[in-house]
C-alpha cells in the first residue's frame, strides 16, 4: 500500500501551478538548435510578453498566499521566471533552480532533418518510450521527475506552509510527466495528453478529506491538456493497493475507481 505519513502532508501546498516557458527563438526557428545548445536558447520578444501576461494571471490565482518557485536551468525558463517577477507581490518562501525539471534531451547540437524524422517516428512508437538518438525518452524524464518529487515533499515538510502555492517554471513534456507521476496516471493516459501552449498554466488544487489530502486538476487545465475525465487520482496506483483483492475476487484486474493520494 502506498501511503504518505501525516507529518509529511501538513505542508503540502494549497495548489501547484506548472508553467511552460514563453515562446523561444527555437520555437520560431528550429535551425538554431544546430549551432546553439538547447539550454541556451532564449525567449523571443513575444515570449517575454507572454511571460509577463502569465505573471499577472498567476498572481491573481495566488492571491495572498506565499509562493515557492522551482525553475528549470534553461535560459528560456529562467527568463520566463524573471518576467513573472514583474507581477509577483506575494511573499516568496524560496526559489530553487531545479535541473530535474529541464527539457527532454534531444541530443547535443541537433540536425534539423534528423530531429524532424525522429519526431514523426515517435508518433508511431509512442511518446513515453521513444528515445531520441543521443537523447532521452519520455520514460527517462519521468524517472528524474519522480526523483524530484521526493525533494519537493521534503521542501514542503521543512520550508513551506499549507497555504502556499508551488510554481514550477518548466517545459511542456516535463510538466505533463510531473502531473502523470503526481496523479498516478498510466502510460496510456500520458499518451493521450496534449502539450500546453507557451506560458499556459496547469493548475492542481489540494482537497483535504478524512483520508488525507488529494489533488485534482482544475477543469480548465484538464480540458487544455486533454486529461483523463476525472482529473483526479489515476488508475496506476490501484495496481499496488488493490491487486491482491482484485485477483482473489474474480481473477481479473480492475484498474478503475478512486484511491487515496500517495507518493
Amino acid at each position: 500500500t502506498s501511503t504518505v505519513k501525516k507529518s509529511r502532508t501538513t505542508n503540502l501546498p494549497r495548489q501547484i501551478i506548472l508553467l511552460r516557458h514563453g515562446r523561444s527563438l527555437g520555437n520560431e526557428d528550429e535551425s538554431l538548435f544546430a549551432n546553439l545548445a538547447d539550454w541556451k536558447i532564449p525567449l523571443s520578444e513575444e515570449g517575454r510578453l507572454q511571460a509577463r501576461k502569465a505573471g499577472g494571471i498567476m498572481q491573481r490565482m495566488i492571491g495572498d498566499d506565499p509562493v515557492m518557485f522551482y525553475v528549470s536551468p534553461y535560459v528560456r525558463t529562467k527568463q520566463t521566471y524573471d518576467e513573472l517577477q514583474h507581477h509577483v507581490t506575494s511573499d516568496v518562501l524560496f526559489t530553487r533552480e531545479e535541473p530535474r525539471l529541464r527539457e527532454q534531451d534531444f541530443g547535443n547540437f541537433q540536425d534539423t532533418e534528423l530531429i524532424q524524422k525522429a519526431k514523426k517516428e515517435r508518433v508511431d512508437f509512442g511518446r513515453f518510450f521513444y528515445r531520441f538518438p543521443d537523447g532521452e525518452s519520455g520514460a527517462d524524464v519521468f524517472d528524474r521527475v519522480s526523483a524530484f518529487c521526493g525533494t519537493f515533499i521534503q521542501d514542503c515538510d521543512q520550508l513551506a506552509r499549507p497555504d502556499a502555492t508551488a510554481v514550477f517554471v518548466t517545459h511542456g513534456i516535463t510538466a505533463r510527466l510531473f502531473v502523470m507521476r503526481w496523479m498516478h496516471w498510466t502510460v496510456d493516459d500520458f499518451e493521450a495528453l496534449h502539450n500546453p501552449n507557451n506560458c499556459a498554466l496547469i493548475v492542481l488544487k489540494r482537497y483535504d478529506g478524512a483520508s488525507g489530502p488529494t489533488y485534482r486538476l482544475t477543469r480548465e487545465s484538464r480540458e487544455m491538456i486533454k486529461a483523463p475525465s476525472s482529473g483526479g487520482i489515476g488508475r496506476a496506483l490501484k495496481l499496488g493497493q488493490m491487486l491482491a483483492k482484485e485477483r482473489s475476487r474474480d481473477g481479473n484486474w480492475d484498474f478503475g475507481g478512486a484511491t487515496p493520494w500517495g507518493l
Side-chain angles (χ1 to χ4, degrees):
T1 300
S2 178
T3 61
V4 177
K5 295 179 181 179
K6 186 175 182 181
S7 62
R8 288 199 160 200
T9 65
T10 53
N11 286 337
L12 288 173
R14 183 178 69 84
Q15 58 184 353
I16 301 170
I17 298 175
L18 298 108
L19 174 69
R20 184 187 174 196
H21 61 81
R23 185 171 176 82
S24 73
L25 293 181
N27 293 135
E28 298 182 350
D29 181 6
E30 293 189 2
S31 68
L32 287 178
F33 294 105
N35 299 297
L36 185 61
D38 189 1
W39 69 275
K40 294 182 178 180
I41 298 285
L43 292 180
S44 65
E45 188 57 37
E46 179 184 358
R48 289 184 179 275
L49 293 174
Q50 288 174 333
R52 287 201 180 196
K53 181 178 179 180
I57 296 171
M58 184 188 72
Q59 182 56 54
R60 289 192 289 275
M61 289 181 178
I62 295 171
D64 296 328
D65 292 355
V67 62
M68 44 188 182
F69 284 98
Y70 294 85
V71 185
S72 158
Y74 278 42
V75 167
R76 55 187 177 271
T77 41
K78 292 196 291 186
Q79 289 178 337
T80 299
Y81 168 77
D82 289 341
E83 296 297 336
L84 294 175
Q85 297 308 301
H86 290 284
H87 291 280
V88 174
T89 58
S90 299
D91 291 335
V92 178
L93 297 175
F94 62 86
T95 298
R96 180 194 291 275
E97 182 176 286
E98 180 47 73
R100 288 169 293 186
L101 293 180
R102 68 188 184 275
E103 174 65 286
Q104 181 177 5
D105 188 350
F106 299 105
N108 296 321
F109 296 111
Q110 300 169 24
D111 182 297
T112 304
E113 290 186 7
L114 290 179
I115 288 294
Q116 290 304 317
K117 180 181 178 181
K119 287 183 176 179
K120 291 179 181 178
E121 188 177 62
R122 179 178 63 172
V123 173
D124 295 327
F125 191 90
R127 293 176 179 272
F128 188 80
F129 292 112
Y130 183 82
R131 182 183 302 281
F132 283 86
D134 301 318
E136 288 183 303
S137 66
D140 294 328
V141 181
F142 178 86
D143 289 345
R144 57 175 159 87
V145 166
S146 296
F148 163 72
C149 285
T151 300
F152 177 52
I153 289 293
Q154 186 175 46
D155 285 346
C156 291
D157 191 36
Q158 297 177 354
L159 303 172
R161 290 166 28 186
D163 60 343
T165 291
V167 178
F168 302 165
V169 186
T170 184
H171 307 264
I173 191 170
T174 313
R176 284 177 285 147
L177 285 164
F178 173 84
V179 176
M180 173 190 174
R181 173 63 182 88
W182 194 255
M183 304 300 287
H184 300 284
W185 291 346
T186 65
V187 171
D188 285 341
D189 291 331
F190 170 78
E191 291 289 347
L193 298 180
H194 287 213
N195 204 30
N197 292 329
N198 292 111
C199 278
L201 286 79
I202 301 173
V203 183
L204 290 158
K205 289 187 175 292
R206 189 191 77 218
Y207 295 87
D208 296 320
S211 61
T214 60
Y215 280 83
R216 297 183 71 86
L217 283 169
T218 62
R219 178 179 57 81
E220 294 80 6
S221 297
R222 188 173 69 248
E223 293 175 352
M224 175 177 60
I225 64 172
K226 308 301 180 185
S229 59
S230 69
I233 199 74
R235 298 175 296 163
L237 182 60
K238 196 167 187 181
L239 177 60
Q241 290 190 322
M242 303 298 291
L243 178 57
K245 179 180 177 181
E246 299 294 350
R247 289 279 288 177
S248 63
R249 187 180 65 189
D250 57 12
N252 295 317
W253 296 358
D254 178 6
F255 295 98
T259 56
W261 177 85
L263 286 176

